[in-house]
Amino acid sequence: DMLPRTASADAGLIGLGNIELARKNPEAALAIFEKVLSQPSSTHFTEATLGKLQALLATNKLDEAMKLGLQSAEDKSFQGESTARIYLILGNVCEKKAGAAAGDEARASLDQALGYYQRVCAAYASYPELCDEAARRIVEVKKKRRIRFMVVVICVLIFKS
């Protein structure tokens, strides 16, 4: 609160928010990113939004993260790498939602996560580190889908016998 509202003050707050995320303190990070975003003259809107998305994901505020992620992905002020990062976070949100769901709802969330990750691979090839992360997540999601399918088949077989 004692820092003047300058571009470097916003950058400092973004750094503090990222430190809080690294320290596994997402509630504090969320408060910092929201503070930056509440300033109409913020020069670090993109970084603060990405940080807020990560903090929302870490605090399991999944519906809020999904809403902000979708809004941001369509916002023209996010381009290139920042949009790819948003899609990766949206995929993570869907994976978390699948973990808390069962049956068709879980499968639909995993399918949605696959779509976000595939989009990163297809549309953002100029960011190889993000494509690599998306490819890793695709493999993990496909494993989860197979395991869930196998559990359902086993339960059906047990129930029928």
Side-chain angles (χ1 to χ4, degrees), residues 3 6 16 18-19 24 31 34 36 47 52-53 60-61 72-73 89 94 109 112 119 124 128 135 149 161:
L3 292 173
T6 66
L16 289 174
N18 288 327
I19 289 169
K24 307 286 187 222
E34 287 178 337
V36 173
E47 297 93 334
K52 182 177 179 178
L53 281 168
N60 287 314
K61 296 178 180 175
S72 300
I89 293 169
C94 292
S109 290
Q112 194 174 10
R119 184 174 195 151
Y124 300 97
F149 176 74
S161 58

Side-chain angles (χ1 to χ4, degrees), residues 46 50 77-88 117-136:
T46 301
L50 288 169
S77 60
F78 293 91
Q79 295 181 358
E81 183 179 355
S82 61
T83 306
R85 289 189 185 283
I86 289 167
Y87 285 124
L88 285 172
Y117 296 142
Q118 289 167 341
R119 184 174 195 151
V120 172
C121 289
Y124 300 97
S126 58
Y127 304 100
E129 70 283 354
L130 299 179
C131 290
D132 289 348
E133 176 62 23
R136 281 192 295 278

Side-chain angles (χ1 to χ4, degrees), residues 66-145:
M66 182 63 75
K67 181 180 177 185
L68 178 61
L70 291 172
Q71 287 171 345
S72 300
E74 295 197 9
D75 185 332
K76 297 301 178 199
S77 60
F78 293 91
Q79 295 181 358
E81 183 179 355
S82 61
T83 306
R85 289 189 185 283
I86 289 167
Y87 285 124
L88 285 172
I89 293 169
L90 286 170
N92 290 165
V93 169
C94 292
E95 282 189 74
K96 273 196 166 187
K97 283 187 169 195
D104 290 340
E105 185 180 345
R107 190 173 10 260
S109 290
L110 289 173
D111 287 344
Q112 194 174 10
L114 276 175
Y116 290 127
Y117 296 142
Q118 289 167 341
R119 184 174 195 151
V120 172
C121 289
Y124 300 97
S126 58
Y127 304 100
E129 70 283 354
L130 299 179
C131 290
D132 289 348
E133 176 62 23
R136 281 192 295 278
R137 297 304 325 144
I138 287 169
V139 170
E140 289 303 312
V141 169
K142 287 187 175 188
K143 284 180 188 176
K144 288 178 187 178
R145 288 186 73 229

